[in-house]
Amino acid sequence: MHTGLTLSELQRRFFDALYAPGTGDPSAWIEGAGLTPAARLGIYRHSAEEIHTVALRTGYPAVCALVGDAYFDRVARQYRRAHPSHSGNLQKFGDAFGAFLEGRPETAGLRYLGDVARLEWQRQQAALAADAAPLSADAFAAALATAEGPIRIGLLPSVRIFASAHPVLTIWQLASQRADESVTLPEAGDHVLIWRDGGQVAMSPVHAASFAFIGALLQGHSVDAAHQAAHALDPKFDLPACVADLLRSGLMTAIETSLPDAMEKSTCSSN
């Protein structure tokens, strides 16, 4: 005869048993309905495992193409046990997958694999981001004409940036196309701009200075401060051209006047 458990304790045992057989075995509280309690629990465990594996396959198609279906499914099950999902929203599952892949001894020869996974995670975040209306060229010109003092540029919620020491954009493109031909990868790493264009996620390589400029805008810094960050990397950074590209791509949402931010204050105080 088993002792009584509270509902929360029973739910915890059931949850644990879905990830690790024999952990806090709740079989004594399970009605088999024609099956043994252990067999019934096994059905739930297999179903949950498959749901999480499919979620990872859907979110990381390039990684799956790079390592193969069989290995991907195996490592997905290992990841699931190491990082149980604590949310009913599977869109949050997989955020640590890149780091997990890097920690596997069998992927040591694929040094870029973790960053390819991180790039795909950023693509997921861009796909799921909120909608916002882009700023038109006329609205941009009007806002710029009336602005006084430092200004900030708001970007679409879907805009993301990702930097890697590896040519992850080229690798992602080749894996997504499942290209079989041998190619020579660039030696340099990538700075990638990511955003949602209509119903599709778009990506584009950008120069390091433009990457720094956009990154500063995403952090809420003013255009002046963002320009300083870009100029520090490239004295020839073309601010008007970079802003025009953002506007042309429909990535701006607003222009607002603001007080000097901390980055500007620290720069001014050092002069």
Side-chain angles (χ1 to χ4, degrees), residues 12-271:
R12 168 52 60 185
R13 288 197 179 191
F14 181 75
F15 178 85
D16 291 342
L18 291 181
Y19 286 89
T23 302
D25 188 0
S27 297
W29 288 268
I30 294 177
E31 174 60 51
L35 298 174
T36 66
R40 179 70 63 185
L41 181 60
I43 292 173
Y44 280 107
R45 184 183 297 118
H46 176 74
S47 178
E49 188 175 78
E50 184 62 21
I51 288 171
H52 286 111
T53 300
V54 170
L56 288 175
R57 260 196 242 123
T58 302
Y60 295 95
V63 171
C64 188
L66 288 167
V67 302
D69 293 338
Y71 175 75
F72 187 92
D73 287 357
R74 185 165 70 253
V75 80
R77 290 191 291 270
Q78 294 169 349
Y79 173 81
R80 175 180 176 271
R81 289 192 293 270
H83 297 272
S85 174
H86 295 283
S87 170
N89 184 357
L90 287 180
Q91 293 169 346
K92 298 180 180 180
F93 183 58
D95 60 329
F97 197 50
F100 185 79
L101 287 171
E102 286 179 335
R104 311 307 301 163
E106 62 270 23
T107 64
L110 302 176
R111 294 179 299 164
Y112 53 79
L113 192 62
D115 275 359
V116 174
R118 292 185 183 94
L119 178 67
E120 294 204 288
W121 179 255
Q122 292 300 325
R123 286 178 54 84
Q124 291 183 62
Q125 301 314 294
L128 297 171
D131 290 322
L135 199 64
S136 68
D138 289 342
F140 172 81
L144 199 61
T146 58
E148 297 180 1
I151 61 170
R152 283 187 169 87
I153 291 177
L155 300 177
L156 291 179
S158 66
V159 172
R160 300 288 189 279
I161 55 174
F162 183 73
S164 172
H166 309 289
V168 289
L169 185 55
T170 300
I171 294 170
W172 181 88
Q173 291 169 337
L174 291 171
S176 298
Q177 298 164 4
R178 294 186 178 263
D180 295 327
E181 67 273 13
S182 177
V183 297
T184 301
L185 293 173
E187 294 185 2
D190 280 334
H191 293 83
V192 187
L193 174 64
I194 308 162
W195 71 99
R196 191 174 65 244
D197 185 5
Q200 301 296 320
V201 175
M203 298 191 295
S204 176
V206 294
H207 295 296
S210 297
F211 185 89
F213 178 79
I214 297 169
L217 294 182
L218 288 172
Q219 293 173 16
H221 294 301
S222 70
V223 171
D224 290 342
H227 186 205
Q228 291 171 18
H231 186 268
L233 293 176
D234 181 5
K236 295 183 179 180
F237 172 70
D238 191 337
L239 173 62
C242 185
V243 171
D245 284 344
L246 294 174
L247 180 64
R248 190 180 309 111
S249 299
L251 303 186
M252 293 186 187
T253 58
I255 290 181
E256 59 182 15
T257 304
S258 64
L259 295 175
D261 60 22
M263 185 184 296
E264 291 173 308
K265 291 178 181 177
S266 62
T267 303
C268 293
S269 62
S270 63
N271 293 335

